[in-house]
């Protein structure tokens, strides 16, 4: 029986993880939950799963959950809050495996603490790896702690790399849907509205990641994540636009063989893979081979999507530039959604922040978070 700490339990990955626990009750149990600000959902999850510990984002929401649980007679779960509470969830002695699915760098400290505590991590939070991948992977290597990717693209790469040696890998190919503006004339980009950008053609996701998919900055973050997860330089990671999203990623080996991972577009599959690794439990997830009748692969348009170029430049420099890329994007996306800047103002803001960022390599999580705050301040000043 594997006992799970689920960070981000009320989000889509967290809820999909709980559905896996429901389906494989003979394999998995819930030890702790970090649930953010959604008290209603945290209350329902606590009653259903009876974890040892639940953490919420604020003291006020923790007090409300504690009172509701007491009224319901469920007093066997401890309720905590804030970043220390999330760390307590990820390092709880009864947790055997940590699912890191808190959006943004908010889950960074807890993910790092889990690795230091020797707990295997299923990583669905690319921002942690982008901002502090050098620190996280070094800590994991020192302690022989596996970091198993849950992002569909990196999970696909992980699966493809099981059949060959690391030295035999020539290129990692990350697939991208191309987003809703793959064929939109460049001259129209300045007039794209938030409503148009939030209509992803394939996936239903959160607001930031949907906008990041429209600018292709999401794929840029995944390039950096792949470099760090699989210990390869940026020039070994390439992007191919694959609108059907049926091939999740590919690995090209030095002998010319290319292996692809193909499956249904359902996040429960990579979550189950990470939880069960190295096993492959039988599941009810199936794929219709008829979907392979029509597959397209295209070169990405770096002029139309400058965020890709910016991500490669940040990946080459590493350290503070990767932190700034992620932080500036988060601020710029929010400004776009609030109609403060146009769609093409997102890469413009990121480029200006990167240009003002000195080259450095933070050595601790505290230094990473300080660098993150500095980049956010610069971006906020730019978007007004």
């Amino acid at each position: 029986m594997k006992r799970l700490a689920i960070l981000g339990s009320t989000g889509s990955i967290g809820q999909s993880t709980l559905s896996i626990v429901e389906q494989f009750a003979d394999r998995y149990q819930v030890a702790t939950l970090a649930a953010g600000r959604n008290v209603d959902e945290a209350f329902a999850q606590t009653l259903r799963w009876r974890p040892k510990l639940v953490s919420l984002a604020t003291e006020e929401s923790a007090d409300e959950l504690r009172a509701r649980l007491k009224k319901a007679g469920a007093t066997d779960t401890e309720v905590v809050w804030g970043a220390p509470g999330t760390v307590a969830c990820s390092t709880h002695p009864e947790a055997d495996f940590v699912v890191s699915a808190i959006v943004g760098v908010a889950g960074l400290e807890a993910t790092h603490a889990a690795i230091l505590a020797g707990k295997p991590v299923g990583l669905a939070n690319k921002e942690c790896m982008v901002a502090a991948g050098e620190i996280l992977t070094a800590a994991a290597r020192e302690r022989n702690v596996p970091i198993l990717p849950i992002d569909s693209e990196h999970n696909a790469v992980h699966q493809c790399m099981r059949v060959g040696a690391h030295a035999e890998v020539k290129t990692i190919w990350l697939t991208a849907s191309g987003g809703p503006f793959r064929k939109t004339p460049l001259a129209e980009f300045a007039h794209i509205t938030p409503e148009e950008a939030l209509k992803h053609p394939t996936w239903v996701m959160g607001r930031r990641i949907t906008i990041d998919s429209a600018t292709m900055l999401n794929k840029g973050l995944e390039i950096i994540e792949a470099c760090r997860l699989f210990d390869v330089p940026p020039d070994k990671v390439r992007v191919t636009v694959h609108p059907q999203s049926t091939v999740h990623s590919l690995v090209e080996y030095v002998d010319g063989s290319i292996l692809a991972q193909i499956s249904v577009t359902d996040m429960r599959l990579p979550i189950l893979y990470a939880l069960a690794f190295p096993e492959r439990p039988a599941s009810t997830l199936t794929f219709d081979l008829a979907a392979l009748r029509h597959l397209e692969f295209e070169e990405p348009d770096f002029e139309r999507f400058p965020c890709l170029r910016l991500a490669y430049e940040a990946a080459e420099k590493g350290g503070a530039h990767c932190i700034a890329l992620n932080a500036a994007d988060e601020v710029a996306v929010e400004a776009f959604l609030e109609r403060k800047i146009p769609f093409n103002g997102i890469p413009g803001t990121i480029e200006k922040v990167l240009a003002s960022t000195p080259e450095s390599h933070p050595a601790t999580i505290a230094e990473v978070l300080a660098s993150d705050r500095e980049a956010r301040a610069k971006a906020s000043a730019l978007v007004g």
Side-chain angles (χ1 to χ4, degrees):
M1 181 66 71
K2 192 175 284 186
R3 299 166 299 180
L4 308 182
I6 304 175
L7 313 182
S9 65
T10 56
S12 62
I13 295 296
Q15 296 197 36
S16 293
T17 303
L18 289 171
S19 77
I20 294 290
V21 177
E22 185 96 54
Q23 187 178 352
F24 294 89
D26 57 329
R27 283 176 165 266
Y28 307 114
Q29 285 181 351
V30 175
T32 67
L33 298 171
R37 298 174 185 274
N38 190 339
V39 179
D40 289 341
E41 187 63 28
F43 176 66
Q45 289 182 352
T46 304
L47 288 184
R48 169 64 184 86
W49 299 104
R50 297 300 177 112
K52 298 291 183 184
L53 185 68
V54 172
S55 179
L56 293 180
T58 66
E59 185 175 13
E60 181 183 34
S61 53
D63 287 343
E64 182 182 344
L65 177 62
R66 204 176 287 117
R68 291 174 65 174
L69 289 174
K70 184 178 180 181
K71 189 175 181 181
T75 57
D76 50 346
T77 296
E78 183 183 359
V79 181
V80 293
W81 62 278
T86 312
V87 170
C89 285
S90 74
T91 58
H92 195 280
E94 293 197 17
D96 304 313
F97 187 99
V98 176
V99 175
S100 175
I102 294 177
V103 176
V105 295
L108 177 54
E109 289 178 280
T111 303
H112 185 237
I115 293 170
L116 294 182
K119 297 184 186 298
V121 172
L123 188 67
N125 173 330
K126 62 175 68 66
E127 292 90 350
C128 282
M129 196 53 71
V130 169
E134 292 153 340
I135 297 171
L136 296 179
T137 54
R141 279 195 295 272
E142 286 173 9
R143 291 159 181 79
N144 197 28
V145 172
I147 301 176
L148 296 155
I150 287 178
D151 267 352
S152 60
E153 293 84 355
H154 302 81
N155 185 274
V157 171
H158 191 276
Q159 295 194 45
C160 292
M161 288 182 73
R162 289 176 73 173
V163 299
H166 186 273
E168 296 169 341
V169 173
K170 181 180 179 182
T171 304
I172 289 172
W173 289 91
L174 300 177
T175 55
S177 70
F181 308 124
R182 184 167 58 93
K183 295 186 177 180
T184 301
L186 191 54
E188 296 179 13
F189 269 43
H191 308 294
I192 291 171
T193 66
E195 291 77 16
E196 292 169 331
L198 286 169
K199 290 180 183 173
H200 193 277
T202 309
W203 296 92
V204 177
M205 305 178 289
R207 286 161 63 87
R208 184 198 171 188
I209 192 173
T210 303
I211 301 299
D212 282 349
S213 293
T215 64
M216 291 196 75
L217 190 279
N218 184 53
K219 205 53 54 180
L221 297 178
E222 290 178 2
I223 291 166
I224 298 170
E225 184 183 9
C227 291
R228 289 166 170 182
L229 278 172
F230 304 113
D231 194 22
V232 295
D235 63 0
K236 274 196 168 185
V237 182
R238 297 184 62 182
V239 173
T240 180
V241 175
H242 170 48
Q244 292 77 27
S245 298
T246 48
V247 178
H248 297 301
S249 277
L250 312 94
V251 174
E252 181 178 1
Y253 285 90
V254 292
D255 66 351
S257 297
I258 298 178
L259 301 186
Q261 192 270 335
I262 299 167
S263 61
V264 64
T265 52
D266 187 322
M267 289 307 296
R268 289 177 298 169
L269 194 147
I271 293 169
L272 178 60
Y273 174 88
L275 294 181
F277 181 81
E279 297 179 60
R280 287 186 185 272
S283 83
T284 56
L285 298 169
T286 58
F287 178 78
D288 182 3
L289 283 174
L292 299 179
R293 281 180 300 191
H294 180 65
L295 298 178
E296 297 171 281
F297 296 94
E298 305 168 2
E299 284 285 324
D301 186 336
F302 282 74
E303 183 181 4
R304 191 184 302 263
F305 299 107
C307 285
L308 273 179
R309 170 181 56 79
L310 296 172
Y312 271 112
E313 291 172 0
E316 287 289 348
K317 292 182 177 178
H321 280 79
C322 293
I323 298 168
L325 178 85
N326 174 63
D329 173 67
E330 191 169 322
V331 173
V333 166
E334 196 57 40
F336 167 68
L337 291 172
E338 293 174 359
R339 304 178 198 277
K340 292 180 180 177
I341 61 173
F343 184 75
N344 52 8
I346 297 174
T349 301
I350 297 170
E351 185 151 28
K352 288 175 183 173
V353 173
L354 288 176
S356 66
T357 300
E359 201 161 335
S360 67
H361 292 267
T364 66
I365 296 300
E367 290 176 9
V368 168
L369 295 175
S371 183
D372 179 81
R373 287 193 293 272
E374 185 178 342
R376 285 173 194 273
K378 290 177 182 176
S380 296
L382 287 168
V383 301

